[in-house]
Amino acid sequence: MLTKKQLDLLNFIHKRVQRDGVPPSFDEMKEALDLRSKSGIHRLITALEERGFIRRLAHRARALEIVKLPEALGGEASHGFTPRVIEGEKPDVRQPANAQPVEAVGAMELPVMGRIAAGVPIEAIAHVSHKVAVPGAMISGKGEHYALEVKGDSMIEAGINDGDVVVIRETSTADNGDIVVALVEDQEATLKKFYRRGNAIALEAANPAYETRVLPEDQVKVQGRLVGLIRTY
């Protein structure tokens, strides 16, 4: 049986994975549960892991996977729960124009537009390298979707690792805190958290080793927002 705090944290992680395809950061968990320190989050995560509700992925900073949900959250404690990043749950998903259905696995093919830097920005992405099958539940909202291979570790505390494939929905707008593909000075593309600061844009990493870049708003163009993540082992 879970305590209220354990249940609240599991529910928060579950909703964020369903919405973004990646688990929340420890800071976001701490703020959501109104705790004073990250140590409280560590204790709650350890308790959930010991009870078999979540699994921490080895050698990956804060990479979490929900294994099952209790009945209080609409699951059955005796059965495994498959996260959204692996298998879609939403019925009747509208397929974007550039996606091709893969009926055998209930997925869709999206173009992989090369690599995106989760670190120092790389040259702008402008070509399709190959295609990847993604769960239909990741294709959310209107607009085109595409995939990018992550290079670097600047988003590791957001659960995004070097070599992961991120699913992006094309959009030119973003809200504060969104993880976006940002085109810097029409030359460099990078995956970062987006924050508007007056007439400037802050591109924030999820790794303390990287400094936040603050640029005039006319030098940053949002190319899309993160809606899912695919990881292979």
Side-chain angles (χ1 to χ4, degrees), residues 98 110-117 122-132 144-150 165-168 170 181 189 223:
N98 67 332
L110 290 180
V112 179
M113 305 292 289
R115 290 184 172 185
I116 181 70
I122 55 178
E123 62 180 318
I125 300 159
H127 69 282
V128 177
S129 61
H130 59 283
K131 293 184 178 180
V132 64
E144 302 290 340
H145 290 69
Y146 58 92
L148 295 166
E149 182 181 348
V150 174
V165 173
V166 289
V167 179
I168 305 296
E170 285 189 16
V181 173
Q223 302 287 288

Side-chain angles (χ1 to χ4, degrees), residues 178-194:
D178 283 349
I179 297 177
V180 304
V181 173
L183 186 63
V184 179
E185 298 180 333
D186 290 323
Q187 295 181 344
E188 303 170 331
T190 188
L191 187 72
K192 292 290 185 292
K193 287 187 177 181
F194 173 95

Side-chain angles (χ1 to χ4, degrees), residues 101-226:
V102 184
E103 296 179 1
V105 294
M108 299 177 183
E109 282 192 344
L110 290 180
V112 179
M113 305 292 289
R115 290 184 172 185
I116 181 70
V120 179
I122 55 178
E123 62 180 318
I125 300 159
H127 69 282
V128 177
S129 61
H130 59 283
K131 293 184 178 180
V132 64
V134 302
M138 287 187 186
I139 311 301
S140 59
K142 298 180 180 179
E144 302 290 340
H145 290 69
Y146 58 92
L148 295 166
E149 182 181 348
V150 174
K151 180 177 175 62
D153 62 356
S154 76
M155 298 302 290
I156 196 167
E157 290 197 3
I160 303 172
N161 302 315
D162 184 48
D164 286 347
V165 173
V166 289
V167 179
I168 305 296
R169 178 172 62 84
E170 285 189 16
T171 180
S172 59
T173 61
D175 296 324
N176 285 340
D178 283 349
I179 297 177
V180 304
V181 173
L183 186 63
V184 179
E185 298 180 333
D186 290 323
Q187 295 181 344
E188 303 170 331
T190 188
L191 187 72
K192 292 290 185 292
K193 287 187 177 181
F194 173 95
Y195 292 96
R196 185 174 294 279
R197 297 180 180 176
N199 294 325
I201 301 297
L203 299 177
E204 181 180 294
N207 183 335
Y210 294 85
E211 294 184 357
T212 298
R213 297 184 68 186
V214 180
L215 300 158
E217 60 180 348
D218 62 356
Q219 293 183 15
V220 178
K221 295 179 181 177
V222 174
Q223 302 287 288
R225 185 176 70 83
L226 177 74

